[in-house]
């Protein structure tokens, strides 16, 4: 596989940030992406997240996941109340996501792991009219160079 490619789209009207990641996920690249995302003028720490990790291979250890958890805990830009829907489809993705979820304890950030976009959207309570819009946004992120 290849190095991490991360893209995002902010839907202010849905108070939602959609992320798509592909390639080999190393924690340094992921933290750099999150730092850049937090500087977007449309970013809000109270927006919910959809993190599409289905095209990722995790190259992380437990200490890497702890480093990311510490980054979120200590970052003033990520203080807020939100739900985070993580979409996975391989054991590698599920295991890393579950380990992170167990390490990161912030009652203001509710993290759930899903295998489909539909189940993630249902949990986030996204209105049916917005589902197609969000699926199209994810596809657009996947297909942009």
């Amino acid at each position: 596989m290849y190095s991490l490619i991360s893209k995002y789209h902010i839907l202010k009207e849905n108070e939602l940030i959609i992320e798509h990641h592909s390639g080999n996920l190393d924690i340094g690249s992921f933290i750099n992406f999150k730092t850049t995302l937090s500087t977007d003028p449309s970013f809000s720490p109270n927006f919910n997240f959809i993190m599409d990790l289905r095209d990722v291979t995790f190259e992380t250890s437990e200490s890497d996941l702890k480093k990311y958890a510490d980054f979120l805990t200590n970052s003033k830009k990520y203080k807020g109340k939100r739900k985070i829907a993580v979409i996975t489809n391989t054991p590698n993705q599920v295991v890393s996501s579950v380990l992170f979820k167990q390490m990161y304890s912030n009652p203001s950030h509710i993290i759930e792991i899903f295998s489909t976009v539909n189940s993630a959207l249902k949990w986030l309570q996204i209105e049916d009219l917005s589902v197609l819009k969000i699926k199209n946004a994810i596809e657009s992120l996947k297909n942009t160079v």
Side-chain angles (χ1 to χ4, degrees):
M1 217 176 220
Y2 43 92
S3 60
L4 184 67
I5 298 171
S6 298
K7 301 173 190 166
Y8 69 91
H9 187 68
I10 299 175
L11 299 172
K12 287 178 87 169
E13 65 278 7
N14 296 96
E15 298 184 349
L16 181 68
I17 299 171
I18 301 168
E19 298 178 8
H20 179 265
H21 305 277
S22 60
N24 295 325
L25 190 148
D26 67 278
I27 232 47
S29 297
F30 198 64
I31 288 173
N32 287 341
F33 165 76
K34 290 296 201 173
T35 301
T36 300
L37 169 60
S38 70
T39 64
D40 187 302
S42 297
F43 175 84
S44 169
N46 295 307
F47 284 3
N48 291 326
F49 279 75
I50 293 176
M51 293 176 57
D52 185 354
L53 301 177
R54 294 175 292 178
D55 295 324
V56 162
T57 299
F58 279 84
E59 293 189 344
T60 54
S61 63
E62 267 190 66
S63 66
D64 289 334
L65 296 172
K66 175 80 171 106
K67 183 177 178 181
Y68 178 57
D70 291 343
F71 163 78
L72 289 178
T73 300
N74 297 322
S75 174
K76 290 182 171 106
K77 297 256 185 164
Y78 280 94
K79 302 276 187 240
K81 185 174 181 174
R82 67 182 161 274
K83 293 168 107 177
I84 304 158
V86 179
I87 305 172
T88 63
N89 67 356
T90 69
N92 169 268
Q93 297 159 358
V94 173
V95 167
S96 294
S97 298
V98 168
L99 280 173
F100 172 75
K101 183 179 171 182
Q102 290 173 342
M103 285 181 194
Y104 182 66
S105 59
N106 182 331
S108 296
H109 301 169
I110 303 165
I111 302 168
E112 289 298 333
I113 302 161
F114 300 93
S115 59
T116 67
V117 174
N118 282 353
S119 57
L121 295 176
K122 185 175 182 178
W123 178 73
L124 288 169
Q125 300 176 330
I126 301 291
E127 295 176 19
D128 289 341
L129 295 175
S130 298
V131 170
L132 183 59
K133 178 181 179 181
I134 291 165
K135 285 184 172 184
N136 287 341
I138 291 171
E139 282 305 309
S140 175
L141 290 172
K142 287 173 79 166
N143 296 324
T144 38
V145 178

